[in-house]
């Protein structure tokens, strides 16, 4: 970082404890320190060092203190190559007990890593242009985007170059390596909101505007969204951005966050709190001061929300096909990832794409290769034609690896979805998400049905249980789901949800999605139904 | 060591929130139950007790209990 005094450095008395530590050292320095000390093992790192591991994309895995780590790898816009996939698979196989996860922000996660292995992992990834740096920490995180960028019949423009431009600008940029808190950016030109705009700190969404008699394709800008325990939907600024202005706007918004974002309490530091206090108008005035005047709003071109689901065989805009595959709750193993790389090379153009629904797709498959790809044994598990519930199930990491988790999540989600697929007939997808604690890595607030774990004490000991939240969505009718009263034991959750879905089927009007029915008939109607269900099943 | 948030309901349908430090989930329940017994003249009968959140124990870590009666 340059020598100039930043606004928050002028009076440090009110900074949080961790902010005081951040004044003393740049978070990114940890990368070199890990390279220098890792051979000496876990003990070589102080507690402060370990809290900066996040800047290198590394968290301590459960149980904390035993020297095992989770690593997150940036996959901007979810786009990666078969060569990168093989590198990731080899790392997982050699160091991570073969476990590979796809996250709700299109990133890849490993588990079980040890300090001694980290430099080799950094080197292997750097060789193929992959980075875990800034995948966590108070920095610009990986940029989420349209997994179909460049091939999408539903995008106004190809956003790959813009994502790349921002990725290159922000990665390892020490001007922005000390933000008040994590900072998430989304860019998509898909009219079905594939970038989940409203839950990012900064999002660019498709828009057009007639300027000097000509229709210009560009973006609208949203700021201050985010989930965790206090979720906020982003607010739209009165701004139209041409593609060539995206970097300027991103730099301006990030500068505002860096210089004016709150640093007194870490739970009150995300950009959403500043935006909530300032409002969109004041925020835009400050942005204009920094980057100069911009065009005002054009026409919003977002027409709906597909929730990031692409399973099945679909035509690309160039006549080739993409094949969207289910990856149940985002988890697979190194062999499967290797095999996916082979399939991408054999039937596609050697590229793969990760979706923020924790799934994957193989793009650029010629017509004559589609049937051959569909006949591959791997696609029996990673199916392009999943059943309804497992095909729309999202889960956070849960207590298998996460220190803050209250309950197990991934296996639970799979068993709930499978039960529902066996027992409930449904023609419209209902999206179910599960979080193992209030922190929302599983994005339960945007689900049709969101589960949040709690531990309940019973005569037979502690059992996993879940609170139900219903009616969430993003897109033009974006709203978070709302909590129903009544905590449901884990082993009863599937039939209880099944019963609520029967109620949806009885109540919906034609073509109505689950969240739309919830909003039309009201939470209270579903609550009454739940009360009856709970009384009946003796929960 | 963690700072736990535990929710309980009494037979009279009163909600109680207990914030307790503990080394494990299991012990957090028993500390919370002890705290409830000590708090009231007549220990209330609980119809349910659940652990809903845990945070690393560090200076400044807290829970804000909304809708608390003061
Ligand atoms: S939501 Fe909670 S339990 Fe799940 S991964 Fe995030 S912090 Fe862990």
């Amino acid at each position: 970082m340059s020598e100039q005094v930043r606004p928050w450095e002028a009076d440090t008395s009110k900074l949080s404890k961790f902010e005081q530590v951040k004044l003393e050292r740049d978070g990114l320095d940890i990368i070199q320190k890990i390279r220098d000390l890792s051979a000496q093992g876990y003990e070589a790192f102080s507690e402060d060092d370990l809290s900066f591991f996040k800047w290198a994309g590394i968290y301590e895995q459960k149980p904390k203190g035993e020297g095992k780590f989770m690593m997150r790898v940036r996959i901007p816009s979810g786009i990666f190559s078969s060569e990168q996939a093989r590198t990731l698979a080899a790392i997982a196989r050699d160091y991570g007990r073969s476990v590979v996860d796809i996250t709700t922000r299109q990133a890849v996660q490993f588990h079980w890593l040890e300090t001694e292995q980290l430099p080799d992992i950094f080197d292997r990834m750097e060789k193929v242009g992959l980075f875990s740096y800034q995948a966590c920490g108070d920095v610009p995180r990986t940029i989420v985007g349209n997994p179909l960028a460049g091939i999408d019949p539903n995008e106004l423009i190809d956003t790959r170059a813009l994502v790349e431009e921002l990725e290159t600008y922000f990665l390892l940029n020490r001007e922005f390596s000390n933000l008040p808190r994590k900072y998430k950016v989304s860019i998509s030109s898909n009219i079905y909101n594939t970038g989940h705009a409203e839950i990012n700190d900064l999002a660019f969404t498709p828009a057009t505007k007639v300027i000097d008699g000509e229709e210009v394709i560009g973006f609208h800008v949203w700021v201050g969204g985010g989930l965790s325990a206090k979720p906020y939907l982003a607010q739209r600024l009165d701004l139209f951005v041409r593609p060539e202005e995206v970097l300027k706007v991103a730099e301006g918004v990030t500068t505002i966050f860096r210089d004016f974002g709150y640093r007194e309490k870490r739970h009150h530091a995300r950009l959403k709190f500043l935006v909530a206090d300032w409002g969109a108008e004041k925020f835009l005035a400050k942005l204009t001061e920094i980057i100069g005047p911009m065009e005002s709003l054009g026409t919003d071109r977002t027409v709906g929300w597909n929730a990031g689901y692409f399973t099945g065989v679909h035509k690309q805009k160039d006549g080739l096909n993409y094949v969207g595959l289910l990856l149940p709750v985002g988890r697979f193993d190194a062999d499967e990832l290797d095999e996916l790389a082979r399939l991408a090379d054999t039937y596609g153009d050697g590229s793969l794409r990760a979706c923020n629904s924790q799934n994957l797709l193989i793009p650029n498959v010629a017509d004559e290769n589609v049937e051959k790809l569909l006949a591959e044994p791997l696609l029996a598990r990673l199916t392009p034609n999943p059943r309804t519930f497992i095909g729309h199930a999202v889960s956070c990491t849960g207590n298998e690896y996460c220190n803050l988790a209250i309950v197990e999540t991934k296996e639970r989600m799979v068993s709930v979805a499978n039960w529902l697929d066996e027992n409930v007939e449904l023609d419209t997808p209902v999206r179910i998400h599960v979080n193992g604690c209030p922190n929302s890595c599983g994005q339960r607030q945007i689900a049709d049905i969101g589960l949040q774990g709690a531990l309940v004490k019973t005569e037979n000991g502690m059992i996993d249980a879940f609170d139900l939240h219903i009616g969430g969505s993003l897109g033009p009718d974006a709203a978070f789901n709302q909590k129903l009263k009544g905590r449901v034991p884990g082993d009863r959750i599937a039939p209880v949800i099944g019963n609520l879905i029967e109620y949806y089927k009885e109540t919906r009007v034609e073509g109505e999605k689950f969240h739309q029915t919830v909003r039309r008939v009201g939470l209270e109607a579903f609550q009454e139904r739940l009360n009856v269900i709970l009384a009946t099943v003796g929960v | 060591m963690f700072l736990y948030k535990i929710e309980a309901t009494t037979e009279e349908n009163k909600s109680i929130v207990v914030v307790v430090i503990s080394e494990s989930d299991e012990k957090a329940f028993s500390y919370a139950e002890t705290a409830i017994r000590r708090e009231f003249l007549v220990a209330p009968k609980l119809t349910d007790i659940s652990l809903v959140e845990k945070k690393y124990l560090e200076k400044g870590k807290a829970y804000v209990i909304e809708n608390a009666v003061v």
Side-chain angles (χ1 to χ4, degrees), chain A residues 17 60 62 64 229-230 267 403-406 436-439 452-458 461-462 467 483 487, chain B residues 2 4-5 7-8 25-27 29-30 33 47-56 58-60 62 64 66:
Chain A
K17 191 177 135 208
E60 273 197 88
K62 180 185 167 189
K64 208 172 177 183
K230 278 262 173 242
H267 62 268
N403 283 297
L404 298 175
I406 310 289
C437 82
N439 282 320
Q452 187 167 306
L455 262 185
V456 174
K457 193 171 171 191
T458 70
M462 298 187 301
D467 290 328
K483 186 174 171 180
R487 201 157 278 153
Chain B
F2 290 95
Y4 286 91
K5 184 177 173 190
E7 294 175 353
D25 299 356
E26 205 141 32
K27 289 213 171 127
F29 276 110
S30 68
E33 283 166 326
T47 53
D48 59 72
I49 181 161
S50 315
L51 191 166
V52 295
E53 194 168 356
K54 68 203 251 194
K55 296 180 179 179
Y56 285 116
E58 285 165 13
K59 242 195 245 174
V64 174
E66 289 181 62

Side-chain angles (χ1 to χ4, degrees), chain A residues 396-398 402 404-406 435-442:
Chain A
C396 80
T397 300
C402 173
L404 298 175
I406 310 289
N435 279 349
C437 82
N439 282 320
S440 302
C441 308

Side-chain angles (χ1 to χ4, degrees), chain A residues 45-65:
Chain A
F45 296 94
S46 68
E47 219 174 286
D48 274 349
D49 289 338
L50 291 169
S51 52
F52 279 104
F53 268 44
K54 287 180 268 184
W55 270 249
I58 303 161
Y59 272 103
E60 273 197 88
Q61 173 180 316
K62 180 185 167 189
K64 208 172 177 183

Side-chain angles (χ1 to χ4, degrees), chain A residues 418-494:
Chain A
N418 285 339
W419 189 95
L420 290 168
D421 278 320
E422 289 297 324
N423 294 284
V424 179
E425 290 266 329
L426 189 64
D427 48 10
T428 320
V430 169
R431 298 169 297 104
I432 305 177
H433 290 211
V434 60
N435 279 349
C437 82
N439 282 320
S440 302
C441 308
Q443 303 180 334
R444 73 103 182 117
Q445 291 95 335
I446 64 172
D448 283 312
I449 300 177
L451 309 178
Q452 187 167 306
L455 262 185
V456 174
K457 193 171 171 191
T458 70
E459 286 163 2
N460 305 318
M462 298 187 301
I463 59 159
D464 289 5
F466 295 87
D467 290 328
L468 288 162
H469 305 72
I470 57 169
S473 76
L474 294 181
D477 59 354
F480 295 129
N481 50 26
Q482 291 179 280
K483 186 174 171 180
L484 290 169
K485 291 191 202 93
R487 201 157 278 153
V488 184
D491 62 352
R492 304 301 302 154
I493 196 82

